[in-house]
Amino acid sequence: MSRPLRLEFEGALYHVTSRGDRREPIFEDDADREAWLVVVGQGLERFDATAFAYCLMGNHFHLVVQTRQPNLSRLMRQINGVYTQRYNRRHAKVGHLFQGRFKAVVVDEEAYFLEVCRYVDLNPVRAKMAKRPQDWPWSSYRAHTGRVTSPAWLDSPALHRRLAPRAPRRDGPDAYARFVAQGRGVKLWDEALAGQIFLGGEAFVKRMQARIGVVSEHEIPRAQRRPAARALEQYFKGAQRDVAIMRAYLDGGHTQTAIARATGLSVSRISRLIASQEAKGKT
């Protein structure tokens, strides 16, 4: 089976989901959830992206994010990788936390921006984990409706400006609450389309395909084809080992398992080296 298509370009808006390995929980308690929020904020800042909605469920999360650069894969690798390290360290565990690659659907910003944010904030209600969206503390709903202070990285004003352009700060929170209440019976996704990569009309899909050079949804876009999938060993020719590991992971898309096998190091050692190199890059 081919890997899910990844569409990355400047200004792309995505609905991202990531599930626990074997559908197991990815949060043990509220401390884990708080840690995830911190990791997301750091990742968004580092990779110059903005989040508009989020929801933490038992074994997965939802995130509506817009990237200013074509770097969604790097952003999500950072978020999932760093959170996994913190989770494993805190709970004395090892190995994978998330199930394979994250799923990302490219969203038509003009037609579905508000719809996809509402969909995310209504997740706990649809899953019967809460009677009302405000009863669930681990989503963006409370921040968007003015019930709690919004995280610095969550762009609530963007939603408010669309719903109450004349007085977004005053009327936006209540307008969003009404908008969400109206969407309880709205079905945004076709759950049968496991490989869905677009949320938009036919014109939007054709425009996206033309922009990135896709003939069909099953063709890898030219903009994302790696140069002949540069062989892993080439990263180590004349390069310092730790830097080569970092480049093979981030630029080459090679897995930590493959890098560990090629270098004779353990996966946990590779993970620590990558984390160390990333920390150096932030200073």
Side-chain angles (χ1 to χ4, degrees):
M1 181 180 294
S2 61
R3 302 177 76 183
L5 186 62
R6 284 283 184 260
L7 307 181
E8 299 188 359
F9 53 89
E10 296 179 5
L13 180 69
Y14 302 95
H15 170 252
V16 177
T17 55
S18 194
R19 294 188 176 276
D21 198 23
R22 298 178 298 275
R23 296 184 176 271
E24 294 179 354
I26 58 176
F27 308 108
E28 298 289 341
D29 51 30
D30 287 353
D32 285 342
R33 297 180 180 92
E34 292 285 0
W36 185 87
L37 295 176
V38 171
V39 169
V40 168
Q42 294 171 342
L44 293 170
E45 180 180 6
R46 177 175 180 182
F47 289 97
D48 193 24
T50 301
F52 300 104
Y54 70 89
C55 185
L56 308 186
M57 304 295 280
N59 64 0
H60 67 283
F61 66 78
H62 296 258
L63 186 64
V64 178
V65 61
Q66 187 167 45
T67 56
R68 296 183 181 87
Q69 305 296 329
N71 59 0
L72 179 69
S73 293
R74 295 181 66 185
L75 167 63
M76 294 311 302
R77 186 182 295 133
Q78 169 81 6
I79 291 174
N80 283 359
V82 173
Y83 176 72
T84 295
Q85 292 171 8
R86 296 190 181 186
Y87 176 93
N88 284 347
R89 186 163 54 244
R90 182 167 183 261
H91 298 290
K93 295 183 178 182
V94 295
H96 298 290
L97 178 61
F98 292 97
Q99 176 183 298
R101 303 172 81 207
F102 64 91
K103 178 183 177 182
V105 175
V106 185
V107 179
D108 182 347
E109 183 176 0
E110 294 303 317
Y112 285 97
F113 174 78
L114 291 171
E115 292 278 3
V116 73
C117 291
R118 176 169 66 181
Y119 172 87
V120 167
D121 279 334
L122 278 172
N123 254 266
V125 177
R126 283 192 303 273
K128 302 187 184 306
M129 299 174 72
K131 290 185 177 181
R132 305 174 302 173
Q134 59 263 42
D135 295 334
W136 188 253
W138 301 106
S139 77
S140 47
Y141 181 84
R142 290 185 176 186
H144 289 331
T145 56
R147 288 171 166 82
V148 298
T149 301
S150 178
W153 48 264
L154 182 67
D155 193 357
S156 294
L159 280 72
H160 298 160
R161 287 192 296 270
R162 293 190 180 223
L163 289 164
R166 292 186 177 181
R169 294 184 63 182
R170 184 191 67 193
D171 301 334
D174 288 342
Y176 185 72
R178 291 192 298 271
F179 177 72
V180 172
Q182 295 165 359
R184 289 194 176 216
V186 176
K187 185 177 181 181
L188 185 60
W189 308 96
D190 184 349
E191 300 297 339
L193 297 178
Q196 182 177 357
I197 60 171
F198 298 114
L199 178 60
E202 183 177 351
F204 170 76
V205 172
K206 289 182 177 179
R207 189 165 67 250
M208 292 298 98
Q209 291 176 336
R211 178 171 185 173
I212 58 176
V214 177
V215 175
S216 73
E217 292 189 14
H218 302 289
E219 179 186 342
I220 298 175
R222 287 194 296 267
Q224 285 184 242
R225 292 176 187 157
R226 299 194 183 278
R230 185 179 177 188
L232 181 55
E233 60 270 14
Q234 293 181 6
Y235 286 93
F236 293 88
K237 293 181 179 179
Q240 196 272 335
R241 186 197 66 179
D242 293 359
V243 174
I245 288 173
M246 184 73 168
R247 291 186 60 193
Y249 180 67
L250 287 181
D251 299 337
H254 294 283
T255 66
Q256 294 184 17
T257 300
I259 297 172
R261 190 181 303 117
T263 58
L265 301 173
S266 67
V267 174
S268 60
R269 175 62 175 159
I270 294 297
S271 178
R272 289 195 297 272
L273 287 172
I274 290 172
S276 175
Q277 287 295 312
E278 289 184 328
K280 290 180 181 177
K282 294 183 67 175
T283 59

